[in-house]
């Protein structure tokens, strides 16, 4: 049967919901009852069947609706997709990576046929059936990076490696947690991480950069990051802060379970073969508190994590206005029982 895609919205009437299956496979980011920044990078190897780690690139029930929302964002603001001239080859690398992964992992939905540099790509959920010449930009409706990332969930940053650093020189960013591609384009790894508190003092980014500079082709890695979002809004960009910033003032003890969402990013890192660039997919998953607490372990643990979160991180993640309300709401789901290690449901 394949994936049953949902028709839903991430703006205006916010009809986004998670099925029971989507809740159980949610990448809950906390493996213990407290949180602090760390170099939490692990090999991006195949995980349990049905999990978000089963395939290198995850496609789920929200795919069609997320792609519709991406198209709306790009229509409103084309600068959410940018590529410096020297990154075109990396764009072709990314196109190959995504087409190969999606067609291999989900053959009922995607097909890739190749005859030399003559390629035939079929995307059944989006109704796309295109033939093109690999390496010839003129045979695609967009550049290679934009063409394929209009068909893949999550944001994608292409990082050029030079001068002992990584430079964000291309990307498509429409589902970000309050940062701007237009601002960060051309910055190096340490520059775009500049605003993050505590991690610099702990040496987290120095270790992470060293690790990524040595990333080998065929050995991708991953990590989870998180924040919280009011309403299931994918586009929480600085450019649109006037649309979503005020949402933080609307939370009460009565509505916070429905409106406040844990926002988790599955961040992965792949070394690309021709360009030697690194692609940094940032896949966003959303779950509202009422859905999250249906897994008892998660309700207990999130209560404890938010309760003990350092003030600097509360402020940086934008939780200051509603953290205490969230802790109070979650307290009724924390019976004091011990939680098992790891993030998976018991």
């Amino acid at each position: 049967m394949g994936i049953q895609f949902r028709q839903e919205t991430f703006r205006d009437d916010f009809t986004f919901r998670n099925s029971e299956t989507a809740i159980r496979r949610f990448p809950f980011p906390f493996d213990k009852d407290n949180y602090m920044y760390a170099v939490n990078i692990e090999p991006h190897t195949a995980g349990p069947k049905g999990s978000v780690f089963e395939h290198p690139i995850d496609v789920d029930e929200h795919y069609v609706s997320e792609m519709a929302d991406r198209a709306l964002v790009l229509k409103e603001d084309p600068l959410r997709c940018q590529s410096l001239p020297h990154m075109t080859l990396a764009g072709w690398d990314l196109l190959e990576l995504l087409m190969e992964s999606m067609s291999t992992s989900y053959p009922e939905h995607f097909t890739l046929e190749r005859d030399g540099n003559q390629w035939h790509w079929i995307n059944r959920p989006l109704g796309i059936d295109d033939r093109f010449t690999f390496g010839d930009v003129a045979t695609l409706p967009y550049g290679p990076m934009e063409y394929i990332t209009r068909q893949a969930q999550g944001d994608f940053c292409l990082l050029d490696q030079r001068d002992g650093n990584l430079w964000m020189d291309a990307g498509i960013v429409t589902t970000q947690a309050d940062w701007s591609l237009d601002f960060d384009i051309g910055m190096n790894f340490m520059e775009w991480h500049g605003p993050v508190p505590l991690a610099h003092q702990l040496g987290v980014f120095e270790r992470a950069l060293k690790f990524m500079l040595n990333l080998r082709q065929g050995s991708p890695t991953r990590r989870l990051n998180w924040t919280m979002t009011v309403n299931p809004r994918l586009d929480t960009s600085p450019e649109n802060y006037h649309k979503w910033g005020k949402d933080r003032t609307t939370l009460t003890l009565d509505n916070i379970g429905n409106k406040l969402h844990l926002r988790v990013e599955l961040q992965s890192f792949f070394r690309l073969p021709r360009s030697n660039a690194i692609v940094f997919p940032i896949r966003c998953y959303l779950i509202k508190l009422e859905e999250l607490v249906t897994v008892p372990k998660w309700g207990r643990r999130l209560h404890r994590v938010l309760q003990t979160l350092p003030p600097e991180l509360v402020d940086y993640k934008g939780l200051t206005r509603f953290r205490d309300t969230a802790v109070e709401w979650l307290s009724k789901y924390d019976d004091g029982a011990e939680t098992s290690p790891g993030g998976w449901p018991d």
Side-chain angles (χ1 to χ4, degrees):
M1 291 178 58
I3 302 167
Q4 302 301 302
F5 299 110
R6 302 171 66 91
Q7 296 294 328
E8 56 198 354
T9 58
F10 301 88
R11 56 180 71 205
D12 302 325
D13 56 351
F14 296 112
T15 61
F16 168 87
R17 296 291 184 275
N18 286 300
S19 68
E20 289 186 16
T21 298
I23 292 172
R24 298 292 297 184
R25 74 191 301 270
F26 186 83
F28 189 71
F30 306 113
D31 61 355
K32 52 184 180 295
D33 290 353
N34 54 67
Y35 175 81
M36 175 52 72
Y37 277 118
V39 184
N40 57 325
I41 297 176
E42 64 180 11
H44 189 30
T45 52
K49 184 175 177 57
S51 75
V52 300
F53 303 138
E54 180 180 2
H55 302 298
I57 301 296
D58 186 43
V59 176
D60 67 10
E61 63 185 39
H62 308 297
Y63 174 75
V64 171
S65 296
E66 286 191 25
M67 295 302 92
D69 195 77
R70 163 153 293 163
L72 290 173
V73 174
L74 292 174
K75 184 177 180 180
E76 296 167 356
D77 185 2
L79 290 178
R80 301 295 192 87
C81 181
Q82 297 189 48
S83 180
L84 300 185
H86 65 282
M87 298 300 286
T88 301
L89 182 59
W92 286 110
D93 277 337
L94 176 57
L95 178 144
E96 179 181 50
L97 172 68
L98 294 182
M99 286 187 176
E100 284 187 342
S101 177
M102 293 166 74
S103 61
T104 300
S105 302
Y106 308 96
E108 66 274 32
H109 299 302
F110 309 98
T111 300
L112 175 63
E113 298 175 349
R114 288 180 281 195
D115 181 7
N117 62 357
Q118 301 304 306
W119 290 28
H120 183 197
W121 169 248
I122 301 173
N123 179 328
R124 295 178 186 84
L126 299 186
I128 294 170
D129 187 330
D130 286 336
R131 298 177 186 272
F132 61 94
T133 302
F134 186 87
D136 184 351
V137 175
T139 61
L140 288 175
Y142 307 99
M145 179 192 71
E146 181 173 355
Y147 174 77
I148 194 56
T149 56
R150 280 177 174 265
Q151 304 176 52
Q153 289 169 278
D155 294 329
F156 294 84
C157 299
L158 285 171
L159 313 178
D160 191 34
Q161 182 165 332
R162 62 182 188 273
D163 303 327
N165 213 324
L166 296 171
W167 303 78
M168 190 181 296
D169 285 348
I172 186 166
V173 181
T174 67
T175 68
Q176 71 272 48
D178 199 11
W179 66 277
S180 170
L181 174 69
D182 192 38
F183 183 79
D184 288 355
I185 194 83
M187 286 188 181
N188 67 42
F189 185 87
M190 302 307 292
E191 290 170 339
W192 84 69
H193 283 111
V196 183
L198 300 181
H200 289 279
Q201 299 93 308
L202 296 171
V204 168
F205 293 125
E206 288 82 358
R207 296 195 298 277
L209 176 60
K210 182 178 180 181
F211 184 91
M212 290 177 63
L213 289 172
N214 291 294
L215 184 67
R216 292 180 291 114
Q217 185 184 341
S219 300
T221 58
R222 66 178 176 235
R223 67 183 295 268
L224 295 176
N225 193 26
W226 70 278
T227 185
M228 303 190 84
T229 300
V230 184
N231 295 319
R233 191 187 295 272
L234 286 175
D235 179 15
T236 56
S237 59
E239 290 88 346
N240 277 339
Y241 180 77
H242 62 286
K243 297 180 180 179
W244 60 267
K246 59 182 180 292
D247 291 350
R248 295 173 176 175
T249 68
T250 66
L251 294 176
T252 67
L253 202 56
D254 292 329
N255 67 22
I256 197 168
N258 180 58
K259 296 188 69 172
L260 186 60
H261 290 66
L262 181 62
R263 183 187 194 101
V264 174
E265 295 173 349
L266 170 54
Q267 303 177 350
S268 49
F269 310 89
F270 297 79
R271 176 73 70 182
L272 299 174
R274 300 171 186 83
S275 61
N276 199 46
I278 291 175
V279 62
F280 173 29
I282 310 168
R283 173 66 194 282
C284 173
Y285 297 85
L286 294 167
I287 187 171
K288 63 181 176 181
L289 295 188
E290 288 177 350
E291 294 172 337
L292 183 144
V293 297
T294 63
V295 179
K297 171 182 173 178
W298 293 353
R300 294 188 196 101
R301 180 161 290 169
L302 184 60
H303 173 248
R304 299 168 192 181
V305 165
L306 292 181
Q307 193 172 42
T308 59
L309 197 64
E312 298 92 335
L313 295 186
V314 173
D315 183 60
Y316 171 68
K317 290 182 178 290
L319 315 183
T320 305
R321 281 183 174 271
F322 56 78
R323 193 273 297 266
D324 291 346
T325 306
V327 169
E328 183 177 354
W329 188 89
L330 286 164
S331 65
K332 60 182 178 286
Y333 298 97
D334 187 352
D335 57 6
E338 186 175 346
T339 56
S340 60
W344 299 111
D346 290 333

